[in-house]
Amino acid sequence: MSNMDLLSQTMYVFSSALLYPVMILLTLLVFVSLIQLGEFLSEYSKRNRDRSNLEIGCKKIRDSLPNSAFSEASRALEGLKQNYMVTSFAREAAKYLEERNFPAIEKLSEEYEIKMAKRLENTKISSTVAPMLGLMGTLIPLGPALIGLSQGDLETLAQNLMIAFATTVVGLFSAGIAYVLTQVRRRWYWEDMSDIDYILDILEEKSGN
């Protein structure tokens, strides 16, 4: 056996051994995608971007800070009723505002930006990995399928083609869900960061006076 034949045989055995892990990972990705879809729907049902409430709250903050009424400004900030990320940020920032710790508020906004990016990573990774696994699950069975075709073994051919088509569909299904969730969440978090930046701008403007 030549070196090329040995190398080809080794690669064939290695790629064939990857088929079951790929199928298992694709199955897990389907469940992960469905869980992510459930979390997405839950998050969607709780989203409430009330711009009038934001403006009223920020006006109270704007009016309170020049008079050094930090407790009143803190209560106004804590009373904001927005999307989860913005509301959570406002409640945590209110504690720092009462302590007049403006650098901590800015650091907190950066932490929330990281938190949003981390949530996007989960679905973004799924949308990238799922098609790769689907492609692997498509190509790996084609070797045995072609061997079966050359030997006239239609049963082996059909079984491997069925696996190839199934893994393609499953991979695209998982990737499609993850891609849509990523795009919609990205817009949501842009809106949330816009509101957080707006709050920060008011605090920085008044704290600098």
Side-chain angles (χ1 to χ4, degrees):
M1 181 181 292
S2 66
N3 291 334
M4 182 60 69
D5 291 338
L6 179 61
L7 181 60
S8 299
Q9 187 66 24
T10 302
M11 293 183 66
Y12 173 75
V13 172
F14 178 73
S15 64
S16 298
L18 290 175
L19 180 59
Y20 289 109
V22 165
M23 293 173 66
I24 292 171
L25 287 174
L26 279 171
T27 304
L28 291 175
L29 270 178
V30 171
F31 287 110
V32 169
S33 298
L34 294 176
I35 292 171
Q36 290 172 340
L37 180 60
E39 293 175 347
F40 172 85
L41 294 175
S42 175
E43 186 176 357
Y44 172 75
S45 66
K46 297 175 183 176
R47 286 190 67 81
N48 176 37
R49 194 181 186 214
D50 189 345
R51 299 193 64 174
S52 61
N53 174 266
L54 180 65
E55 288 295 338
I56 292 171
C58 288
K59 184 177 184 303
K60 291 179 181 178
I61 297 170
R62 192 183 292 114
D63 295 339
S64 301
L65 288 180
N67 302 322
S68 297
F70 287 94
S71 295
E72 185 177 340
S74 176
R75 286 194 297 272
L77 184 58
E78 193 172 6
L80 290 177
K81 303 296 182 184
Q82 298 295 313
N83 295 322
Y84 169 76
M85 287 290 187
V86 181
T87 302
S88 179
F89 166 80
R91 288 175 179 171
E92 292 188 49
K95 301 174 185 177
Y96 294 123
L97 179 59
E98 195 163 4
E99 299 169 358
R100 308 185 187 188
N101 191 348
F102 292 99
I105 297 177
E106 188 171 350
K107 174 63 176 174
L108 182 65
S109 72
E110 294 173 358
E111 292 294 330
Y112 269 82
E113 189 171 0
I114 293 172
K115 186 184 295 186
M116 294 176 192
K118 186 176 180 180
R119 295 198 70 177
L120 284 174
E121 279 178 2
N122 295 331
T123 51
K124 190 174 181 181
I125 290 173
S126 296
S127 67
T128 304
V129 171
M132 295 169 59
L133 292 175
L135 180 60
M136 290 177 65
T138 302
L139 295 177
I140 292 172
L142 289 183
L146 292 175
I147 293 174
L149 178 63
S150 66
Q151 297 175 349
D153 188 350
L154 297 182
E155 183 178 353
T156 299
L157 173 65
Q159 287 178 348
N160 283 281
L161 288 180
M162 183 177 66
I163 293 173
F165 294 147
T167 52
T168 302
V169 171
V170 170
L172 291 176
F173 174 77
S174 300
I177 292 177
Y179 177 78
V180 171
L181 300 189
T182 300
Q183 295 303 314
V184 175
R185 271 203 175 117
R186 180 177 285 120
R187 177 178 57 80
W188 285 355
Y189 294 155
W190 278 344
E191 293 175 350
D192 292 346
M193 279 309 303
S194 174
D195 292 342
I196 289 175
D197 288 340
Y198 180 57
I199 296 170
L200 276 178
D201 288 342
I202 291 174
L203 294 176
E204 290 173 357
E205 174 190 347
K206 295 304 177 181
S207 64
N209 291 340

